[in-house]
Amino acid sequence: KQEVTQIPAALSVPEGENLVLNCSFTDSAIYNLQWFRQDPGKGLTSLLLIQSSQREQTSGRLNASLDKSSGRSTLYIAASQPGDSATYLCAVVQGGSEKLVFGKGMKLTVNP
Amino acid sequence: DTGVSQDPRHKITKRGQNVTFRCDPISEHNRLYWYRQTLGQGPEFLTYFQNEAQLEKSRLLSDRFSAERPKGSFSTLEIQRTEQGDSAMYLCASSPPGARLYNEQFFGPGTRLTVL
């Protein structure tokens, strides 16, 4: 059974720091990995999708990397801003399925 | 707005009542998913439709839960005889046709269910 882990569960940083969010998964037979952002009480906003054959994807200040063989992904946020405060979730699409399997998320607070 | 929409956004009901939620996917997205999220947890998969066919169901989807997508467009999720443990955010997502490799899922705002 696929398990996705995000550690730490919460992080508080001052504005301007460069951040690395970690995600690990137990079964490397995935089709892709997606990073999401969730604001309190809201739905999920897709940030980046990395296909299983890719090593990284970039969007603005965000860069996500994937090391499928070791079951790890990182989301890099450059020059963090208070508006980046949210919960960040990673999820994988398992081989043989269409569903996303999510981690519990990491709550990020960026202080002005 | 061309995103995934869900209705209602909030629902408060008494234990034992039936509730129904609606999801309208992004136009031309043939894949539709339902997830459930409880406080402090990541979303958990409930069911998946490709067009009108329900192709995947989680064991979480007990006999009290039923989902439909009759014309391959909008979908409904019904919970019968609600229990307090059903209180959660119910999220709908859709994705376009194509290989799973490129299958990016787009989520709606969710329906918050509170069972008293």
Side-chain angles (χ1 to χ4, degrees), chain B residues 15-108:
Chain B
R15 185 165 54 95
Q17 298 293 306
N18 300 341
V19 294
T20 300
F21 310 140
R22 176 180 170 126
C23 171
D24 286 88
I26 294 171
S27 178
E28 297 179 359
H29 280 195
N30 67 333
R31 292 176 163 120
L32 188 147
Y33 313 80
W34 286 98
Y35 294 84
R36 180 173 71 183
Q37 185 178 27
T38 53
L39 202 61
Q41 303 295 315
E44 293 178 293
F45 171 78
L46 292 177
T47 191
Y48 158 68
F49 290 87
Q50 184 167 315
N51 300 311
E52 66 275 9
Q54 188 174 22
L55 298 183
E56 197 171 349
K57 288 172 61 173
S58 164
R59 285 173 293 176
L60 291 175
L61 214 66
S62 73
D63 292 345
R64 297 185 298 108
F65 288 71
S66 63
E68 294 183 343
R69 195 182 183 199
K71 296 182 180 180
S73 57
F74 74 91
S75 176
T76 58
L77 177 68
E78 180 183 17
I79 308 175
Q80 295 182 329
R81 305 181 303 281
T82 52
E83 302 173 354
Q84 288 185 324
D86 297 331
S87 295
M89 175 79 90
Y90 290 83
L91 295 162
C92 177
S94 70
S95 63
R100 268 176 283 189
L101 200 62
Y102 319 108
N103 180 12
E104 185 173 6
Q105 295 186 27
F106 297 89
F107 281 75

Side-chain angles (χ1 to χ4, degrees), chain A:
Chain A
K1 177 187 172 186
Q2 178 74 270
E3 293 184 1
V4 179
T5 303
Q6 294 182 251
I7 296 174
L11 186 64
S12 181
V13 299
E15 182 177 6
E17 282 204 2
N18 298 324
L19 305 174
V20 176
L21 282 59
N22 295 305
C23 172
S24 62
F25 47 95
T26 54
D27 188 337
S28 61
I30 62 170
Y31 283 108
N32 60 52
L33 182 146
Q34 236 177 307
W35 281 94
F36 295 90
R37 168 189 172 132
Q38 187 173 34
D39 293 291
K42 307 292 186 183
L44 279 66
T45 300
S46 178
L47 298 174
L48 288 165
L49 178 143
I50 309 179
Q51 300 163 22
S52 61
S53 58
Q54 296 178 321
R55 296 286 291 182
E56 66 178 81
Q57 279 286 342
T58 298
S59 176
R61 293 184 295 110
L62 305 179
N63 176 277
S65 67
L66 174 64
D67 184 343
K68 200 173 78 158
S69 61
S70 68
R72 295 179 187 275
S73 176
T74 60
L75 179 67
Y76 177 81
I77 303 176
S80 58
Q81 304 169 357
D84 295 329
S85 298
T87 295
Y88 291 81
L89 298 115
C90 73
V92 298
V93 174
Q94 183 65 34
S97 173
E98 292 280 343
K99 67 182 181 186
L100 283 166
V101 178
F102 283 86
K104 291 185 178 182
M106 194 213 76
K107 184 176 181 180
L108 174 65
T109 303
V110 181
N111 300 301

